[in-house]
Amino acid sequence: MRTSQSRRSFIKKTGIVALGAATINSYATPSFTTFKQSPLGYAYGDLALAIDAQTMEIHYTKHAAAYVKNLNDALAKDNINVEKLTDLIFNISSYSTTIRNNAGGHFNHEFFWKCMGPLKPNPESTTALNTLQTAGTIDNLSQPNMPSQKLIEQFQKDFGGFANLKNLFSQAALSVFGSGWAWLIYDYNLQKLNITTTPNQDNPLMNITKIQGKPLLALDVWEHAYYLRYQNLRKNYIENWWQVVNWEFVEQNFNNSTNC
Ligand code: MN3
């Protein structure tokens, strides 16, 4: 009896010690990474051509904020410490569904905010537009928010034109069943630009995704991204969204993906 009591006592004590150690490791070690949202970089109302201020505010301060909080909570709970978000994303098959959903949610939203911005005149775009207009090589000339000539030429090469890229991407975004994302990527296998979709909060960098590649542009087609203004009309949200695409960001991603 004395032995059994001692064992119980020992388990009780070590249990407390182990809990104490986990707590210190999770919350007090200075090197333990917690993820944070980056500032949006523009005002909630700046994308009003396509997305109303209230939707942007709720999306950023509630939905996107929840992914970061839930990610940090899940990592602390599982005692996982990584240096960068991509350390999780690239190896996502090694982690729980909770981490997959919330690491993806955090990564995708941080990326999505940068894909958009207030419309501003781009002299290079205007020149590119005029050149192509004269040459008669593009059909949608009413679009004020244009990519640079370099991107337009790449779209011509990989999709047969900027208008085709927009149509293919829009169709892909419309075709997502339920909640998910549409992506323009640099496809590692095909070694060219490609369009793809992912369900839920998955993305093309995850090692569980069928078509993998470097994201250049993303569109959130979860209903929380558009429902206040567009209700069930996802098609109208997608059409208007092109007006607030930040083509400079897309070009930076393109340059990084191909090192040219
Ligand atoms: Mn969202």
Side-chain angles (χ1 to χ4, degrees):
M1 288 300 285
R2 209 188 302 162
T3 311
S4 172
Q5 272 179 344
S6 302
R7 189 180 296 138
R8 271 204 300 274
S9 172
F10 176 73
I11 289 166
K12 201 174 166 190
K13 275 182 200 158
T14 50
I16 289 164
V17 168
L19 183 65
T23 304
I24 289 163
N25 193 30
S26 300
Y27 297 107
T29 306
S31 63
F32 198 90
T33 305
T34 52
F35 293 99
K36 290 186 183 70
Q37 284 184 282
S38 306
L40 194 55
Y42 43 81
Y44 297 128
D46 278 354
L47 309 181
L49 277 174
I51 305 170
D52 60 281
Q54 193 186 11
T55 295
M56 282 303 294
E57 184 169 3
I58 294 171
H59 201 173
Y60 181 84
T61 63
K62 308 291 184 198
H63 294 283
Y67 293 116
V68 192
K69 183 188 181 302
N70 293 339
L71 173 62
N72 288 328
D73 289 350
L75 293 174
K77 183 169 162 281
D78 294 351
N79 200 21
I80 294 167
N81 191 15
V82 290
E83 212 176 301
K84 300 189 300 288
L85 189 54
T86 44
D87 294 340
L88 296 170
I89 298 286
F90 291 150
N91 304 298
I92 206 72
S93 61
S94 308
Y95 298 98
S96 68
T97 305
T98 304
I99 290 178
R100 172 171 162 179
N101 288 338
N102 290 291
H106 181 41
F107 180 93
N108 294 352
H109 285 87
E110 291 285 295
F111 186 81
F112 180 52
W113 309 136
K114 292 182 191 154
C115 287
M116 303 181 290
L119 186 60
K120 54 188 171 190
N122 178 344
E124 199 196 339
S125 290
T126 309
T127 309
L129 183 62
N130 290 340
T131 307
L132 291 163
Q133 199 166 4
T134 309
T137 48
I138 55 171
D139 47 358
N140 183 1
L141 303 177
S142 59
Q143 173 59 254
N145 183 27
M146 292 288 290
S148 67
Q149 184 144 16
K150 180 177 180 177
L151 279 181
I152 286 176
E153 283 167 6
Q154 195 63 40
F155 297 154
Q156 187 71 40
K157 192 172 154 217
D158 291 337
F159 301 105
F162 177 48
N164 281 349
L165 157 81
K166 283 175 65 181
N167 286 338
L168 290 168
F169 187 100
S170 298
Q171 282 165 25
L174 198 56
S175 77
V176 173
F177 181 76
S179 300
W181 293 76
W183 303 88
L184 171 66
I185 59 168
Y186 183 79
D187 189 315
Y188 298 137
N189 289 323
L190 301 178
Q191 298 200 326
K192 65 191 270 295
L193 301 186
N194 198 2
I195 289 163
T196 185
T197 63
T198 54
N200 304 313
Q201 295 296 353
D202 289 354
N203 69 48
L205 290 173
M206 290 181 170
N207 63 349
I208 40 86
T209 300
K210 204 159 55 176
I211 299 177
Q212 291 179 30
K214 160 102 181 160
L216 272 61
L217 177 67
L219 176 57
D220 186 345
V221 292
W222 283 58
E223 282 189 347
H224 68 223
Y226 63 88
Y227 204 81
L228 288 183
R229 181 186 283 186
Y230 297 97
Q231 287 85 48
N232 59 319
L233 301 176
R234 187 193 285 182
K235 188 171 187 286
N236 296 5
Y237 161 63
I238 297 166
E239 274 172 20
N240 281 344
W241 175 75
W242 291 106
Q243 298 178 79
V244 296
V245 168
N246 179 355
W247 289 111
E248 283 175 27
F249 179 65
V250 177
E251 185 162 351
Q252 281 169 28
N253 294 328
F254 174 66
N255 290 341
N256 291 338
S257 70
T258 56
N259 293 320
C260 57

